[in-house]
Each structure stands twice: as C-alpha cells, then as structure tokens.
Amino acid sequence: MRILWDFRLFSYGYGQRGVGQYVLRSARAIFDEIPDISLYIWGDIDKVPEPLRSIPCTWIPCRKGGWKSDLFTIPFLMRGHKVDLFHYWIALGPLYHIGLGGLHQAPFLATVYD
C-alpha cells in the first residue's frame, strides 16, 4: 500500500498541539504495524519531530500555499506516486472542497485539527 501523508501541519505550528501528537503517534504505529507500506510524506523535514524523521519514507517538499492551490497539487502528487490512500490535515480547506471534484481515484482520510 502506498500512503501519501500530509505533514505540513508541523510547518504551521500545530506540531505541539493535539493534532501534532495524534499524527506523531498514529504514523509511528502504522509504520510499526505494517512495515511493508510505502510512505510518501508531504512536508518540511526540518519542522517534523525527530521520531518521524527516522521513518523510512519518501519526503515530498512542500511550499506554503492555500487550500485552493492544493486542489491541483494533491491529485498531481497522488497520480505521480500512485498513491492508494491520502491522509491529510483538514486545515486544507472546507471538507466539501477536499473531495477534489473527482480528480483522483484513491480514498482519503481526514485528520481534524484542534
């Protein structure tokens, strides 16, 4: 399974809040439980906590932008990396916009920010 995970929340200062702790623990647990998955992490490696930097994955650099530009970036990343599941941070924008108008075929999972 190929998972694209949105770690940009660490770049926006949410890493020390509840959502950051949730992402830290769940990412670690998923990798420990299913080590043969391919993780693609979308974020700034310098802003991510050390325990997550050690997870074997492919880092996809991010740039700051709004949720509207993400509507085009996300499908591009998903197709380019043949992603099976996209786990994103809900602050990308209104939930109904994140359906992306059918531009991608993979399921996605939301993390609500605090």
Side-chain angles (χ1 to χ4, degrees):
M1 175 175 272
R2 299 164 76 92
I3 300 174
L4 172 60
W5 206 318
D6 181 4
F7 276 13
R8 295 175 301 154
L9 64 104
F10 295 104
S11 297
Y12 288 97
Y14 286 87
Q16 299 304 316
R17 296 177 62 176
V19 69
Q21 296 306 304
Y22 168 79
V23 168
L24 175 71
R25 287 184 177 92
S26 59
R28 191 74 243 178
I30 287 170
F31 186 76
D32 289 345
E33 200 61 37
I34 313 168
D36 61 339
I37 62 174
S38 296
L39 284 177
Y40 297 87
I41 306 297
W42 187 22
D44 181 357
I45 193 170
D46 296 328
K47 304 285 184 180
V48 172
E50 186 59 40
L52 292 177
R53 291 183 198 171
S54 63
I55 293 175
C57 66
T58 300
W59 284 92
I60 302 170
C62 69
R63 58 183 171 86
K64 294 206 176 199
W67 64 267
K68 290 180 182 179
S69 65
D70 292 341
L71 293 177
F72 298 100
T73 304
I74 292 167
F76 175 76
L77 292 174
M78 292 178 76
R79 285 188 180 151
H81 296 286
K82 298 181 178 113
V83 170
D84 297 310
L85 177 70
F86 175 43
H87 187 286
Y88 68 92
W89 176 41
I90 196 69
L92 286 171
L95 186 58
Y96 64 92
H97 285 299
I98 300 307
L100 304 175
L103 295 175
H104 66 84
Q105 300 301 315
F108 50 96
L109 175 68
T111 295
V112 177
Y113 69 93
D114 56 350

